Amino acid sequence: MNDKLILKDGTEIALETSSGISSLTVGAQSRNAACALWGQFTKENLKQVLVKNSDGITVGKYQNMVLDHVTGVDKENGAVQLTFSLRSKTTEELLIERITSMESELQIHSGAIGDAGQAISDIMEGGVQ
């Protein structure tokens, strides 16, 4: 199999086998390489995931994915076989992210409004020194 998983940042990961997005098998030369590969599956990189076949044709395009779980098996010569299981974020997870983002933006706006109010108050009381 020459399919590739492509993460949002452009990282290309050669797949040994795939039984859909929930079962992507990848080989690594060592445990250190396996950990480095696992580290590529960040929240940001999982916002957009592509699967391309050996001809370079996109056969899967996914948004807002989550790394559900990873399994690893030691192989000969120190190699490791990893299976990554991805899933779509639930509606609840997406809503929590959106609310958290909105709360953060609200704090920024509230601070700016408070600063503007103080500046106007200072000007009305005789100017800023």
Side-chain angles (χ1 to χ4, degrees), residues 33-47:
C35 287
L37 180 61
W38 189 349
Q40 296 295 312
F41 286 77
T42 63
K43 277 181 145 181
E44 186 63 29
N45 271 344
L46 293 175
K47 286 184 178 181

Side-chain angles (χ1 to χ4, degrees), residues 114-129:
D115 292 345
Q118 184 62 50
I120 291 169
S121 179
D122 291 345
I123 290 170
M124 296 300 288
E125 291 177 4
V128 178
Q129 303 294 325

Side-chain angles (χ1 to χ4, degrees), residues 5-63:
L5 180 71
I6 303 171
L7 303 176
K8 183 179 178 190
D9 72 353
T11 298
E12 294 187 7
I13 301 168
L15 300 174
E16 289 183 355
T17 62
S18 171
S19 299
I21 199 74
S22 65
S23 182
L24 305 164
T25 304
V26 179
Q29 293 179 353
S30 66
R31 284 185 178 191
N32 286 339
C35 287
L37 180 61
W38 189 349
Q40 296 295 312
F41 286 77
T42 63
K43 277 181 145 181
E44 186 63 29
N45 271 344
L46 293 175
K47 286 184 178 181
Q48 179 178 321
V49 176
L50 302 175
V51 177
K52 290 190 176 185
N53 67 15
S54 58
D55 295 325
I57 297 171
T58 300
V59 294
K61 185 174 183 178
Y62 306 90
Q63 304 286 328

Side-chain angles (χ1 to χ4, degrees), residues 79-128:
V80 177
Q81 183 180 43
L82 297 167
T83 301
F84 293 95
S85 178
L86 303 181
R87 65 169 175 79
S88 296
K89 288 182 182 176
T90 64
T91 302
E92 181 180 348
E93 289 168 325
L94 292 169
L95 286 172
I96 288 170
E97 282 183 4
R98 191 161 187 195
I99 290 168
T100 301
S101 175
M102 290 172 66
E103 286 174 343
S104 176
E105 289 178 27
L106 181 59
Q107 287 177 353
I108 291 168
H109 292 295
S110 293
I113 290 168
D115 292 345
Q118 184 62 50
I120 291 169
S121 179
D122 291 345
I123 290 170
M124 296 300 288
E125 291 177 4
V128 178

